[in-house]
Amino acid sequence: MHTIEVEHLHKIFKIPHEKRNTVFESLVGAFRHPQYETFHALNDINFTVDEGEALGIIGENGSGKSTLLKIIANILRPTRGRVEVNKKITPFLELGVGFQPNFTASENVRTYATIMGISKREIESKLDDVLEFAGLEKFRDTKLKNFSSGMQVRLAFSTAIQTDPEVLLMDEVLAVGDMEFQQKCLDVLNQYRKEGVTIVFVSHDLGAVRRFCDKTLLLHKGVQVALGDTGDVIDKYVYGGSTEESEEAVEASQVLSAETETELPEEGEHNEANRWGNRKVEITSVEFYDKFGNKSTRFNSFDPMKIRIYYKANQKIADPVFGIALYSEKGDHLFGTNTELKNLTIDHIEGSGYLDLQIERIPMLNGRFLLTVAVHTRDQKPYDWLDKQYSFDVIPVSRNAGVFEVDCNWKYELKV
């Protein structure tokens, strides 16, 4: 028997077209046919989760992730389909529901623990541990209304983990607090996994999903796009699908790519203020290719990427040099190279063609990056120079911080 079974799940919300604010409007409206439109939040979702397994759920905002979690937690009722959970559920969804702003931190811990089903004796014995985990020992007698929103969520999370879960539902919990507190959350998650707790984990943090989840479900606008190995599903999310998907999944995946992809400028659409040169050679287009050989502007960090530069030489040009430069979204110069520096000599070019720059491993961790492309003479006289006219996005698969990955390892020797 599976711990969680979801079969042909649908959730439809009815959205009224008119708002009734007065008694008269309500009375008049009672004799009118109600007008509303339907919103299909979840459309035929099917999956199972076994005991001790961790399922990740990913997708863009509005894809139905939180709605699905609330149905599993029995907070929302499905419109159609079946959801069965065969173990005790502990939902980490709306953390802090039931907190009272005029209560102190200690008082709120006691109240929230009662809501979570923890006995009074047990929470009294763990009160100091809860406050220490949240980093709020000095604020135990401070009223909650004086806390920041981050402090409140930390307090709620620290209280909630005192339960003894069999099935744990988590919705963006790792997004709260600073890096130190997030690491504490990860340690708790690791401990739950070692204890065989079944976990359903919703997050935009693809690095955490890749690290903790045995399999992953990808949703898009309420449609189940993919379900399977976490690495494969994240690739579908970032790169937009494969030929093995069903027609419905392919369609949803293509829509996903179209909505999130940065449109590359076509010939003649460049910002001329950021373009210069005598145009004896023109750069007509730049394309980015992912590890599957597909055009894309979204990449997993540490994956390969190919930059293809198309050109048109309006006359025979001897010994041209092609180059690129990478910038952060704020315009900080990060890296630059060209064919001369890489010891590639191009005897001459004439007419139309292209050349590729193969990046074996994207070292950037996360963010949008701007690309300058240029072709010039060996003494730096530009034929065509397009400054920061192209861009691509890097999706994180690591929990390290910063811009670039540094290949390093910690080493510790215990001295006795």
Side-chain angles (χ1 to χ4, degrees):
M1 187 191 323
H2 302 293
T3 301
I4 301 174
E5 298 179 43
V6 176
E7 289 185 354
H8 302 297
L9 176 65
H10 294 257
K11 181 60 181 177
I12 299 173
F13 292 100
K14 292 182 178 180
I15 306 172
H17 279 175
E18 58 185 60
K19 186 177 181 181
R20 300 169 186 173
N21 296 315
T22 66
V23 174
F24 177 76
E25 289 174 344
S26 298
L27 288 172
V28 172
F31 296 99
R32 293 178 181 170
H33 187 71
Q35 294 182 339
Y36 57 83
E37 61 180 294
T38 58
F39 172 61
H40 215 139
L42 294 171
N43 192 344
D44 197 22
I45 308 300
N46 298 271
F47 64 88
T48 61
V49 187
D50 292 328
E51 184 175 357
E53 195 171 38
L55 172 73
I57 303 178
I58 62 175
E60 301 289 339
N61 290 331
S63 61
K65 305 184 300 296
S66 295
T67 299
L68 176 56
L69 226 58
K70 288 176 181 178
I71 291 175
I72 297 173
N74 206 26
I75 296 171
L76 294 177
R77 301 279 297 173
T79 305
R80 294 197 307 274
R82 185 177 72 92
V83 176
E84 186 173 336
V85 182
N86 299 304
K87 296 281 185 177
K88 172 189 169 186
I89 296 177
T90 300
F92 282 18
L93 306 181
E94 304 291 342
L95 287 176
V97 172
F99 272 178
Q100 298 297 319
N102 288 315
F103 286 6
T104 65
S106 298
E107 291 168 339
N108 271 295
V109 169
R110 295 186 182 100
T111 303
Y112 194 51
T114 302
I115 294 173
M116 297 293 293
I118 305 173
S119 69
K120 183 177 179 180
R121 177 180 296 179
E122 186 178 4
I123 197 58
E124 287 297 337
S125 66
K126 295 180 177 179
L127 181 59
D128 290 340
D129 293 336
V130 170
L131 294 169
E132 181 183 358
F133 188 95
L136 299 173
E137 307 99 302
K138 296 179 181 179
F139 302 95
R140 63 187 305 136
D141 297 319
T142 303
K143 289 186 177 181
L144 197 75
K145 64 183 179 182
N146 297 316
F147 282 15
S148 68
S149 58
M151 293 167 72
Q152 293 183 34
V153 175
R154 278 158 42 200
L155 187 65
F157 180 88
S158 303
T159 307
I161 61 173
Q162 305 305 317
T163 60
D164 187 19
E166 294 177 333
V167 176
L168 185 62
L169 308 180
M170 305 181 71
D171 191 357
E172 293 293 356
V173 171
L174 299 184
V176 304
D178 53 22
M179 288 193 66
E180 181 182 358
F181 185 76
Q182 288 183 25
Q183 187 57 52
K184 288 183 179 180
C185 296
L186 292 172
D187 292 341
V188 169
L189 193 56
N190 269 326
Q191 185 60 38
Y192 282 146
R193 291 221 60 192
K194 291 177 183 177
E195 294 171 357
V197 175
T198 303
I199 298 172
V200 180
F201 180 47
V202 168
S203 182
H204 288 290
D205 186 342
L206 299 184
V209 173
R210 188 185 294 270
R211 180 176 174 183
F212 290 109
C213 297
D214 304 298
K215 62 183 181 182
T216 295
L217 171 68
L218 171 60
L219 298 177
H220 175 63
K221 292 187 176 180
V223 175
Q224 182 169 326
V225 175
L227 173 67
D229 175 76
T230 293
D232 293 340
V233 174
I234 288 177
D235 280 346
K236 284 184 174 68
Y237 179 46
V238 174
Y239 297 124
S242 74
T243 57
E244 297 176 358
E245 295 175 76
S246 67
E247 291 183 6
E248 185 181 43
V250 168
E251 181 180 352
S253 183
Q254 287 172 345
V255 171
L256 173 64
S257 295
E259 289 184 349
T260 55
E261 183 173 313
T262 302
E263 184 178 352
L264 292 175
E266 300 293 337
E267 182 178 2
E269 292 185 357
H270 303 292
N271 183 350
E272 294 301 320
N274 294 318
R275 183 177 190 177
W276 54 86
N278 60 27
R279 305 287 179 88
K280 290 182 180 179
V281 183
E282 294 182 69
I283 294 172
T284 57
S285 179
V286 173
E287 295 174 346
F288 303 94
Y289 288 85
D290 62 32
K291 61 184 178 182
F292 301 109
N294 300 320
K295 283 195 293 185
S296 180
T297 55
R298 301 207 320 170
F299 301 85
N300 279 330
S301 54
F302 319 142
D303 274 0
M305 175 176 72
K306 181 165 62 181
I307 301 174
R308 177 163 291 177
I309 303 172
Y310 290 88
Y311 66 83
K312 180 182 178 183
N314 297 310
Q315 62 188 67
K316 186 175 181 178
I317 300 293
D319 200 21
V321 176
F322 288 84
I324 64 102
L326 285 175
Y327 296 83
S328 70
E329 195 170 13
K330 294 180 180 179
D332 300 317
H333 187 207
L334 304 176
F335 174 75
T337 190
N338 61 36
T339 52
E340 181 183 8
L341 293 172
K342 291 295 185 180
N343 298 315
L344 174 64
T345 300
I346 302 173
D347 182 67
H348 72 277
I349 56 175
E350 189 171 9
S352 298
Y354 67 83
L355 76 163
D356 294 334
L357 176 64
Q358 182 66 49
I359 297 172
E360 300 298 333
R361 185 176 184 270
I362 298 172
M364 291 85 82
L365 291 171
N366 182 31
R368 173 161 292 186
F369 298 90
L370 308 179
L371 177 72
T372 291
V373 292
V375 55
H376 53 80
T377 65
R378 281 192 178 265
D379 56 358
Q380 299 291 319
K381 293 179 181 177
Y383 295 120
D384 200 5
W385 193 294
L386 283 78
D387 191 50
K388 307 181 188 72
Q389 293 290 286
Y390 299 91
S391 68
F392 60 92
D393 296 311
V394 175
I395 311 299
V397 298
S398 160
R399 292 198 61 81
N400 291 329
V403 179
F404 286 94
E405 175 79 359
V406 175
D407 193 8
C408 59
N409 290 290
W410 291 101
K411 186 177 180 181
Y412 173 72
E413 293 183 6
L414 181 62
K415 297 190 184 217
V416 292

